[in-house]
Structures are given as C-alpha cells and as structure tokens.
Amino acid sequence: DTGVSQDPRHKITKRGQNVTFRCDPISEHNRLYWYRQTLGQGPEFLTYFQNEAQLEKSRLLSDRFSAERPKGSFSTLEIQRTEQGDSAMYLCASSLERGGEQYFGPGTRLTVT
Amino acid sequence: RKEVEQDPGPFNVPEGATVAFNCTYSNSASQSFFWYRQDCRKEPKLLMSVYSSGNEDGRFTAQLNRASQYISLLIRDSKLSDSATYLCVVTHWGGYGGATNKLIFGTGTLLAVQP
C-alpha cells in the first residue's frame, strides 16, 4: 500500500499523559499537513511542513503540541499533558506540490479519559 | 461565524432522487474550491474540484458563484453507495510565502440514501 499511513490508529490515554503519533506520507510528496477532526465537525488545519521545514502553525496548536519532520519524510505529532478536549481524530495528509491534491491517511483516534 | 458554512443535515433521500448541497464561504480571497466525501470513521477523499464555469463528473455536478461566494453540489440518480458526509472545502494562499494551501473545511452534510 503506497498511501499515507498513520500509527497508531487508536490511542486511549489518561489526562495528563503525553502521546505521540506518527505519519508516513506518500514517498515522493514533499508537503505534509496535520489536521484535527472532532465529532460533527470538518477537519481543522493544525500545521504544515514543506520537506523538513514547519512553515505554518494554526493558533489551535497550543504550546502543548509539537510536530516534527526531521528528515523530510515521516512526521510526528506530540501532545504533552493531554486534556479531555484533545480527544479527536488526528489526520495527516500529504501532497506533491503547491495546489496538488492532498491525500489523507486513515487518522489516529485519540481518546483522553 | 465559520469561514465555510454548509447546509445542516442529515439529508434522507430515496434511491434515484436528486439531491443538492449548498455551501457559502466568507473569505473573498479564497482561491480553490472542492467537494470531499467522508465515509463513516474514514478519512476524507477528494470527490471533485469546483470551477467557475461549473463542472460535471458523471452523476455529480459542481457549481461556483464567486460573486455570491456560493458553491453547490448536485447528485443525480442517487445510489445507496452515495451515503456519506459531503464536505465543502476552500483554500486560500496564506502563511509562509502564501504557499500553505491548507484546506478549510465546512462542517459537512450527512447524506443517507434509503432503499
């Protein structure tokens, strides 16, 4: 399968714990995006990488959130000191170039208890 | 107010019906427009881009009115397999060098096609 992959697919954690998600984009895609989707809402943009450079962060991304793409390939999204409001589906997408179609991964569903 | 507003759902229609979704966007600088489809508990997938001249793909027709900042999607002869959430999406250049191309989604409209 050469699509976008995400790991884990599901994560249940207790409030206050740290969690990390991984995204592997389509191999030749240099643009990688993170979105968050809560129940009944459309996905909301969190952050974006072009190769290894993080070029934009939404104000939704509080100081507890950090994202990296160290070698311009896979990316990680870490949430520190999780809160119940962080419960959501975290979606990763990648695209080949500006304006190119964004292909989404299956998402990581986070539940904070 | 959300930047992209869609019809509230759900839409329950019989097989074979024609159904229309409407969407408005508030940022006149919006550059590109799309309809995405999202099946239950799955990722969004691009259904079609929307062009000012209007465009059609089989049973699906999309229209854009830039003056009214209005986007529509028409599904003819609806099938059971069309049941999904339809998301209206816009982009506009922003962020670093105007090159972000982040997608801005509406809340989506749930379509349930009944046999």
Side-chain angles (χ1 to χ4, degrees), chain A residues 9 31 33 35 37 40-45 48 50 55-56 89 91 97-102 104-107 109, chain B residues 2 34 36 38 41-46 87 91 93-108:
Chain A
R9 296 290 304 278
R31 291 167 176 255
Y33 305 80
Y35 294 84
Q37 185 173 24
Q41 301 296 315
E44 294 176 294
F45 170 79
Y48 148 72
Q50 180 167 309
L55 297 184
E56 187 173 348
M89 174 77 86
L91 292 159
E97 60 190 14
R98 183 174 70 181
E101 179 180 347
Q102 292 185 30
F104 283 82
R109 184 171 296 280
Chain B
K2 284 188 171 292
F34 309 94
Y36 273 69
Q38 186 171 28
R41 295 187 168 269
K42 299 283 191 180
E43 71 273 22
K45 292 186 178 177
L46 179 64
L87 295 156
T91 70
W93 303 140
Y96 181 79
T100 305
N101 203 42
K102 62 187 176 188
L103 302 179
I104 301 167
F105 289 82
T107 55

Side-chain angles (χ1 to χ4, degrees), chain B:
Chain B
R1 183 188 171 204
K2 284 188 171 292
E3 185 168 342
V4 180
E5 301 262 13
Q6 292 188 242
D7 280 353
F11 284 18
N12 294 296
V13 302
E15 266 187 295
T18 296
V19 60
F21 301 126
N22 303 312
C23 169
T24 56
Y25 60 95
S26 59
N27 190 330
S28 58
S30 297
Q31 296 282 345
S32 302
F33 309 89
F34 309 94
W35 285 99
Y36 273 69
R37 170 192 168 129
Q38 186 171 28
D39 292 305
C40 187
R41 295 187 168 269
K42 299 283 191 180
E43 71 273 22
K45 292 186 178 177
L46 179 64
L47 178 66
M48 59 197 300
S49 301
V50 188
Y51 304 113
S52 296
S53 54
N55 48 300
E56 188 173 309
D57 182 3
R59 298 181 294 109
F60 298 82
T61 300
Q63 297 275 354
L64 167 65
N65 184 322
R66 283 187 182 268
S68 303
Q69 296 180 196
Y70 172 91
I71 307 162
S72 66
L73 176 69
L74 188 76
I75 306 176
R76 292 181 299 279
D77 187 24
S78 53
K79 313 289 185 191
L80 294 175
S81 56
D82 294 333
S83 297
T85 295
Y86 290 82
L87 295 156
C88 178
V89 183
V90 308
T91 70
H92 49 79
W93 303 140
Y96 181 79
T100 305
N101 203 42
K102 62 187 176 188
L103 302 179
I104 301 167
F105 289 82
T107 55
T109 303
L110 178 62
L111 172 66
V113 181
Q114 313 289 341

Side-chain angles (χ1 to χ4, degrees), chain A residues 14-102:
Chain A
K14 294 186 183 219
R15 189 176 53 188
Q17 298 294 305
N18 299 345
V19 294
T20 300
F21 310 141
R22 176 178 171 127
C23 171
D24 286 89
I26 293 170
S27 59
E28 64 269 25
H29 285 185
N30 60 0
R31 291 167 176 255
L32 187 147
Y33 305 80
W34 285 98
Y35 294 84
R36 180 173 69 186
Q37 185 173 24
T38 54
L39 199 61
Q41 301 296 315
E44 294 176 294
F45 170 79
L46 293 178
T47 190
Y48 148 72
F49 291 85
Q50 180 167 309
N51 299 312
E52 66 276 6
Q54 186 175 18
L55 297 184
E56 187 173 348
K57 291 171 60 173
S58 164
R59 52 192 164 81
L60 291 175
L61 218 63
S62 76
D63 291 345
R64 297 184 297 106
F65 288 70
S66 63
E68 293 182 340
R69 194 182 182 197
K71 297 181 180 178
S73 55
F74 73 91
S75 175
T76 58
L77 177 68
E78 181 184 15
I79 309 174
Q80 296 182 325
R81 306 181 303 282
T82 52
E83 301 172 356
Q84 286 188 316
D86 297 331
S87 295
M89 174 77 86
Y90 289 84
L91 292 159
C92 175
S94 70
S95 71
L96 185 57
E97 60 190 14
R98 183 174 70 181
E101 179 180 347
Q102 292 185 30

